Amino acid sequence: PATESKRLRIAMQKSGRLSVDSQALFTSCGLKINLREQRLIAHVENMDIDILRVRDDDIPGLVMDGVCDLGIVGENVLEEESLQRQLDNDSFDYTVLKRLDFGGCRLSIAVPQEEAYQGPAALEGKTIATTYPRLLGRYLKQQGVNARIVTLKGSVEVAPRAGLADAICDLVSTGATLEANGLKEVDVIYRSKAVLIQRKDLTDSKQLKLINKLMPRINGVMQANESKYIMLHAPRAKLDQVIALLPGAENPTMLPLAGNDSMVAIHVVSSETLFWETMEQLKALGASSILVLPIEKMME
Ligand code: ATP
Ligand code: MG
């Protein structure tokens, strides 16, 4: 087969909690995609890449089976699929290229609010509803607890009220859904973020070259997201104190100000933002025109 001419296939969630951020990441990396059409495959206009838009549950399998070369998926879904495939003696190989800065959530045990819960032993003999039977099963085994697991694809949070389960194991980000259903989060069993994964047996040199081009861009976007460009005017007499307040500013850029010898302009790229408290302290030292700007891209 003409593997040389194969376009790189990347799987992303079609619609849901990861799709907006996944798409934004591709766009920030310079991929020109027309996702307005409701197509399964979106052609990237300016690179040899196709974007496959699927249910998030399908992404680990597509990568593990080599149908897609890369994929963006939550670690929770990835780990669940890996455990399932290990039990089924199926292939479950992949490489994590990057842990991303979105899709953060936790997989937690929750019980009815009125229940006294003193640790996982309280689950002995109980019925627990979840969408993640393998992750939950692993946890219960580690804890030495025997419980019955009921697998539900949706509406897990209503299972206790519906009399289907005594407890649930579900994804939580704020806890509002749990509270609305009369439940309380009692144990976190897994912390998840979105990850970029690659299939294990990728050897095509053109595709590898493309990935080597994408990765510094992804790193650059993520670094830029958490960095700020800070500018201010500072009194020469207080320079040491001013610089000591700036996060990560060992060697800031200093520029003279036209017509003012007592002040200099300081520019610095910081890996952190500048908090209001620090800005007030700088101001108290005589600094002025303090600006904190977002950075779009960076390359070191
Ligand atoms: P699909 O239709 O693609 O199967 P879905 O309903 O299974 O979508 P979403 O609810 O869109 O999935 O969640 C996708 C992923 O987003 C989750 O697997 C998880 O990794 C992450 N996520 C982040 N925060 C939350 C949250 N509060 N609840 C659920 N998932 C979350
Ligand atoms: Mg899903």
Side-chain angles (χ1 to χ4, degrees):
T3 41
E4 256 81 15
S5 60
K6 251 207 204 154
R7 294 166 68 84
L8 192 73
R9 285 190 154 185
I10 311 181
M12 66 171 270
Q13 190 186 24
K14 178 162 187 172
S15 74
R17 288 191 157 93
L18 302 180
S19 48
V20 170
D21 289 320
S22 302
Q23 195 183 324
L25 181 64
F26 295 142
T27 307
S28 312
C29 288
L31 277 65
K32 286 214 165 70
I33 323 166
N34 184 356
L35 288 182
R36 263 163 295 163
E37 297 162 65
Q38 290 297 302
R39 291 231 189 105
L40 168 67
I41 297 184
H43 209 70
V44 176
E45 293 164 26
N46 57 341
M47 287 188 214
D48 286 335
I49 300 175
D50 287 330
I51 306 287
L52 240 84
R53 300 155 76 210
V54 294
R55 292 281 309 266
D56 71 338
D57 316 63
D58 294 334
I59 295 172
L62 287 169
V63 173
M64 291 171 186
D65 292 334
V67 177
C68 287
D69 305 302
L70 304 183
I72 294 180
V73 68
E75 289 168 316
N76 52 318
V77 174
L78 180 63
E79 190 68 7
E80 179 72 19
E81 181 72 16
S82 294
L83 293 173
Q84 184 62 52
R85 283 179 171 235
Q86 285 172 55
L87 285 169
D88 298 343
N89 277 316
D90 278 341
S91 59
F92 60 94
D93 261 357
Y94 62 87
T95 311
V96 175
L97 291 180
K98 188 81 189 171
R99 199 166 194 240
L100 302 168
D101 52 8
F102 58 85
C105 59
R106 48 193 194 271
L107 186 62
S108 293
I109 307 271
V111 300
Q113 268 158 17
E114 62 279 7
E115 206 136 300
Y117 179 92
Q118 269 128 7
L123 299 168
E124 184 69 32
K126 296 282 174 68
T127 300
I128 312 170
T130 188
T131 312
Y132 301 92
R134 298 305 170 204
L135 282 170
L136 174 59
R138 179 172 72 182
Y139 173 78
L140 292 174
K141 201 170 161 195
Q142 283 164 356
Q143 299 296 323
V145 171
N146 285 299
R148 195 160 76 96
I149 299 174
V150 174
T151 305
L152 295 177
K153 288 282 176 204
S155 308
V156 171
E157 66 284 353
V158 303
R161 243 188 317 147
L164 295 172
D166 305 303
I168 66 165
C169 173
D170 204 7
L171 292 177
V172 185
S173 50
T174 62
T177 311
L178 291 182
E179 204 178 324
N181 286 283
L183 301 169
K184 62 177 177 186
E185 182 179 7
V186 290
D187 266 319
V188 176
I189 75 162
Y190 191 81
R191 289 185 192 277
S192 178
K193 277 193 170 181
V195 280
L196 175 68
I197 54 170
Q198 179 188 317
R199 75 178 159 93
K200 249 295 154 57
D201 50 353
L202 197 142
T203 51
D204 182 275
S205 62
K206 260 182 79 182
Q207 294 188 332
L208 287 170
K209 246 175 136 176
L210 207 46
I211 292 170
N212 287 336
K213 198 169 180 70
L214 282 179
M215 289 317 294
R217 293 190 183 185
I218 290 174
N219 290 329
V221 170
M222 286 178 63
Q223 230 184 328
N225 282 345
E226 55 199 39
S227 301
K228 298 284 178 224
Y229 196 91
I230 300 168
M231 306 195 279
L232 61 130
H233 294 171
R236 273 186 201 278
K238 299 275 176 64
L239 268 184
D240 289 347
Q241 285 163 276
V242 166
I243 289 168
L245 283 173
L246 297 174
E250 288 80 25
N251 307 101
T253 305
M254 289 203 323
L255 303 162
L257 289 179
N260 185 343
D261 276 342
S262 64
M263 303 276 278
V264 286
I266 296 179
H267 289 200
V268 59
V269 173
S270 165
S271 58
E272 301 163 40
T273 193
L274 205 56
F275 292 105
W276 282 112
E277 289 74 14
T278 313
M279 290 175 70
E280 286 154 6
Q281 285 173 283
L282 288 165
K283 187 99 197 164
L285 285 171
S288 61
S289 305
I290 309 168
L291 296 181
V292 180
L293 308 176
I295 298 173
E296 188 183 273
K297 299 187 181 79
M298 59 200 287
M299 201 176 255
E300 294 201 321

